Amino acid sequence: MKNAIRLSLVLILLWSCSAPQPPVTPVPVAPVEVAIKHEVEVPREFRAAWVATVANIDWPSKPGLSVAEQQAEAISLLDSAVILNLNAIIFQVRPQCDALYKSDLEPWSYFLTGEQGKAPEPFYDPLTFWVEESHKRGLELHTWFNPYRAHHPQGKRNETSVIATQPEFVREIDNGYFWLDPSLEKTQDYSFDVVMDVVKRYDIDGVHFDDYFYPYSNIEFPDSISWQAYQDAGGTLERHDWRREAVNVFIKRTYEGIKAEKPWVKFGLSPFGIWRPGNPSSIRGYDQYDKLFADAKLWLNEGWIDYWTPQLYWPTRQIPQSYPVLLGWWSRENTHNRNLWPGLFTSKIKDKEGALENFSQIMITRGIVPDGPGNVHFSMKALQRNYGGISDILLEGPYKHRALIPPSPWLDSKAPAAPMVDLDHREGNVHINWMHEDRTDVDKWVVYSQRGNGWTYEIFISETESLILPLTIRSEDGMTAPKVLNQIAVSAVDRLGNESERTTVSIR
């Protein structure tokens, strides 16, 4: 019965989302008003976009821009995210064993400065900039790493490349790609140290890996020397199992290392959307288990992640790779109840029909994952450039109002204490001030206000501790009585999304 109800909900969502939606111009969003007699609940949803730096997909637009141009482009992307009511950015900091931040372990990225190993001039640290500017806007910043890719053919390498400095664990693939050998302990130590260096030194909110484990390639991965050494040492695993086990060990080690250093930093994975063909039975397609040696189902089943973002890049009505069918399967495999926020191929949108498909997928996610849904868009450029009118459609529909990121109760379920609130009436306005006994336990504030039976809310970053509201506002029709402010309520939200009790104060 439960599955029948869920299927009916998906069908209803597909039908309702197929109707054309009128485009609107993106504008900053006003507080949401709900005509109910009780305080409104702030929606919970992860709304994120990948910002890809490899091949200059999203940022910077080309290698070698001036620092001012790089920063201006970053601000434009972040401001667009705010206008669209996103609440997180997944920023690629290591596209090919290089760094878009100051690192003593790897060279500066070619995609940043146009020369591998060359720092920005005048100097600045792009990751520090992205973290600070994201947090100013109430956005989480997750750092995205490629754990094994050593060189992308659209980059230019020199003597600073890992290919030159540590050739003993780099392997040449086809089509100009180079890869670290995942089976080697030295590879695992090297990439683990790179990730943990960022976790320790930067105020990030998450670490993120995508689907590039062993490479997508038409040739057998060149690890014969490593394989022979494993056998000579008494190894008993079959070769494909041996490769998978190496990746399994690295994923688990990374999760545990992050939690030991900063338990609040979330670890997210975005594997290829199909685990294996036939799972579930109608699914056909690429076999990541056998080709990328990625046992993604195992990682989810074991709870070695905090959020799961399978790349479900196919339309809902494409039966061999159907979005809702795959999402339903992953949902059933989510035995540890981790956050399930699938990836959407927003950059593939070519027209309004494609944009409406994207919209439908968001609504399907809300139906299948009702508690703490979310999606990640690939990539931010598609949203900023409004492919097929997608940004207009999102603002008019599912992203019309701001949302808080769903909590991660396995990491922390203790809510902050309620804030202290003070009101002061002056010249027809109500001055609201609030404070907290432990400012370190506050990441955001939610301020609720009631006029008549309608409640509104606004979300503020932790540095904001005051707000001025008019005591009365004109009615929308200009004819009925003005709306009078009756009550204010303020709550504190910690870094992992736990919201405090609300402190409610009557205006009179």
Side-chain angles (χ1 to χ4, degrees), residues 474-506:
R474 290 173 58 86
S475 60
E476 291 180 2
D477 59 15
M479 302 294 290
T480 54
K483 296 182 179 181
V484 181
L485 190 62
N486 297 323
Q487 292 188 90
I488 292 292
V490 183
S491 66
V493 183
D494 69 16
R495 191 159 190 170
L496 285 170
N498 300 301
E499 185 177 7
S500 75
E501 296 281 336
R502 302 175 191 177
T503 301
T504 303
V505 181
S506 295

Side-chain angles (χ1 to χ4, degrees), residues 140-152:
E140 285 195 355
L141 194 287
H142 296 223
T143 46
W144 165 18
F145 299 81
N146 289 95
Y148 302 119
R149 186 166 60 205
H151 180 70
H152 187 283

